[in-house]
Amino acid sequence: ISKLADLISQCMNYDPKKRPFFRAIVRELDEKGIYHGNFGMVELCLYDPKGDQTGELVAVKSLKTENESSNLRREISTIRNLYHENIVKYKGICNDEGGANIKLIMEYLPAGSLKEYLPRNKSNIDQKRLLLYALQICQGMEYLGSQNYIHRDLAARNILVENESLVKIGDFGLTKSIKDDKEYYKVTEEQDSPVYWYAPECLINRKFYKASDVWSFGVTLYEIMSYCDRENSPPQVFLKSIGRSHGQMTMTRLVDALEKGWRMPRPDSCPEMVRYLTSEKQCWSHAPENRVDFNSLIKEFEFFLT
Ligand SMILES: C=Cc1cc(F)c(CN2CC[C@](CC#N)(n3cc(C(N)=O)c(NC(=O)OC)n3)[C@H](F)C2)cc1O
C-alpha cells in the first residue's frame, strides 16, 4: 500500500518538462543479479514523456556501482545494433543529470523468462511448443553469431516470452564481440560465471568460442525439456549426481566429471531427437570443433516441427 501511495504521489507531482523519463519503479525484474555479481539491476519503469500516464512500460537496466559502466556501455553498443525477431528490442538510453549512471531501456515482456513461464504454464505447453522455443533460440543465436558476437550466458533465465508462440533472447550482459577474425574470446574479468552452463574449454582455458554457446544451448534445451523444474535445475542435477563438495572446488569437480564423460541426465520424457542433440556427438561434444552449429540445429528443429 505504501509503495502504491508513493507511486501515486510521484505521479501527481510529476513534471514532464523536468523529467521526460519518469521512473515509476513498479518492481525489480532481476533475480538479484545472481550471475552478474549483484552490481546491476533491471527495473520495470514507466516511460511517460507527455506526463499524462499514456506512456509505456519499459525494462531498464542500470548499475549500482559506477565502475561497471564499461560493461553496460558495451552491452548498449551491442544490443542497439541487433535487429531480429528473436532478440529483445532496444528502445534507447537515458542517464541521470550530469550524464553519469547511463541506463539501458528495452521493451518490457511481462510474461518474463522461460524460467518463470514454463513451470507456471506446464499444463498447457506440449513438447512441440517447447521445440518451437528451442528453434527460435537457435534462430536468435545464429543471427547473433552472424554479427560476430558470443553470448556467454545463454540460459532459460535469459530467454523472454513475448507470447505462447514467440520467445526472444532477452539479456546480453556477458556478450562479447569477436570481430577482427578472432575465433574466441579470452575471459579476463573474474565475474560470478554460470559454470553449469559452461563448456569444458570455458572452465579449463577460459576461452569462449561460438561453439561454447552451442554447449550452453544444450543446457538451455535440457532446462526447457524439464519445464525449468527448480528441483532439476542444472546446479541441482550436478550436485545430486556428483555429490556436495567435500572441500574441493565445485568448478574442479564439474571439470573432472565432464572430462570423464559425465553429462546431465536427460528428463525421462525427453524425445529421442533431443536426447541425440544433447549428446557428446552434438551440443555436448568435448571438443568445440566437433559440436553441431546453430544453422544445423535450426534445420533439425524445422524438420521435426514440419
Ligand atoms: C546489470 C547487470 C544485470 C542485472 C540483472 F538483473 C540481470 C538479470 N536480468 C536480465 C533481464 C531479465 C531476464 C531476461 N532476459 N528480464 C528482462 C525483462 C524484459 N525486458 O522485460 C524481464 N521481464 C520480466 O521479468 O517480466 C516479468 N526480465 C531479468 F530482469 C533478469 C542481468 C544483468 O546483466
Side-chain angles (χ1 to χ4, degrees), residues 27-44 58-64 68 71-72 75 88-89 106-113 116 120 153 155-161 168-174 191:
R27 68 182 178 90
E28 281 200 17
L29 295 174
D30 66 335
E31 295 174 355
K32 303 284 168 274
I34 294 172
Y35 295 103
H36 297 271
N38 279 311
F39 58 79
M41 68 178 97
V42 177
E43 295 165 311
L44 172 57
V58 291
V60 180
K61 179 182 275 194
S62 59
L63 297 173
K64 294 172 186 166
E68 295 296 339
N71 287 345
L72 186 54
E75 181 174 354
V88 69
K89 285 190 179 71
M106 296 167 282
E107 63 174 332
Y108 171 54
L109 280 70
S113 79
E116 295 92 37
R120 278 190 206 133
D153 194 12
R157 64 179 173 275
N158 287 331
I159 304 298
L160 293 172
V161 177
K168 304 185 176 189
I169 301 167
D171 191 74
F172 297 87
L174 295 183
Q191 274 178 335

Side-chain angles (χ1 to χ4, degrees), residues 218-284:
V219 182
T220 305
L221 183 55
Y222 162 87
E223 292 185 277
I224 291 171
M225 301 316 292
S226 57
Y227 289 90
C228 290
D229 171 22
R230 284 185 183 277
E231 293 303 305
N232 289 298
S233 69
Q236 291 296 332
V237 166
F238 171 75
L239 293 174
K240 271 184 221 165
S241 303
I242 310 286
R244 298 209 170 270
S245 72
H246 305 290
Q248 204 187 23
M249 282 272 288
T250 302
M251 185 128 94
T252 311
R253 289 173 32 250
L254 176 58
V255 170
D256 290 347
L258 293 173
E259 296 283 276
K260 289 173 186 145
W262 177 84
R263 294 294 185 269
M264 279 203 303
R266 262 63 97 206
D268 297 341
S269 61
C270 187
E272 199 42 46
M273 179 265 253
V274 172
R275 208 173 286 277
Y276 170 67
L277 289 180
T278 53
S279 71
E280 301 78 44
K281 298 184 181 65
Q282 299 292 304
C283 289
W284 288 342

Side-chain angles (χ1 to χ4, degrees), residues 165-218:
S165 304
L166 181 60
V167 296
K168 304 185 176 189
I169 301 167
D171 191 74
F172 297 87
L174 295 183
T175 299
K176 301 287 182 187
S177 170
I178 48 166
K179 291 197 168 88
D180 317 323
D181 300 329
K182 271 176 44 184
E183 60 164 8
Y184 65 82
Y185 169 79
K186 180 82 175 174
V187 178
T188 49
E189 71 279 354
E190 280 302 323
Q191 274 178 335
D192 303 336
S193 303
V195 293
Y196 300 105
W197 283 258
Y198 273 11
E201 68 275 7
C202 312
L203 299 167
I204 300 165
N205 310 319
R206 292 158 46 132
K207 285 183 178 176
F208 245 92
Y209 299 81
K210 286 183 186 176
S212 308
D213 278 336
V214 171
W215 177 290
S216 299
F217 170 75

Side-chain angles (χ1 to χ4, degrees), residues 52-110:
D52 56 3
Q53 304 305 304
T54 60
E56 62 173 330
L57 289 171
V58 291
V60 180
K61 179 182 275 194
S62 59
L63 297 173
K64 294 172 186 166
T65 55
E66 282 285 298
N67 57 7
E68 295 296 339
S69 63
S70 59
N71 287 345
L72 186 54
R73 289 181 188 281
R74 178 191 313 107
E75 181 174 354
I76 290 168
S77 66
T78 300
I79 195 171
R80 73 193 312 173
N81 296 312
L82 298 176
Y83 305 94
H84 190 275
E85 187 186 28
N86 302 118
I87 287 185
V88 69
K89 285 190 179 71
Y90 165 80
K91 293 185 85 68
I93 55 173
C94 74
N95 50 38
D96 291 341
E97 286 78 12
N101 201 10
I102 194 165
K103 293 173 173 51
L104 166 58
I105 308 167
M106 296 167 282
E107 63 174 332
Y108 171 54
L109 280 70

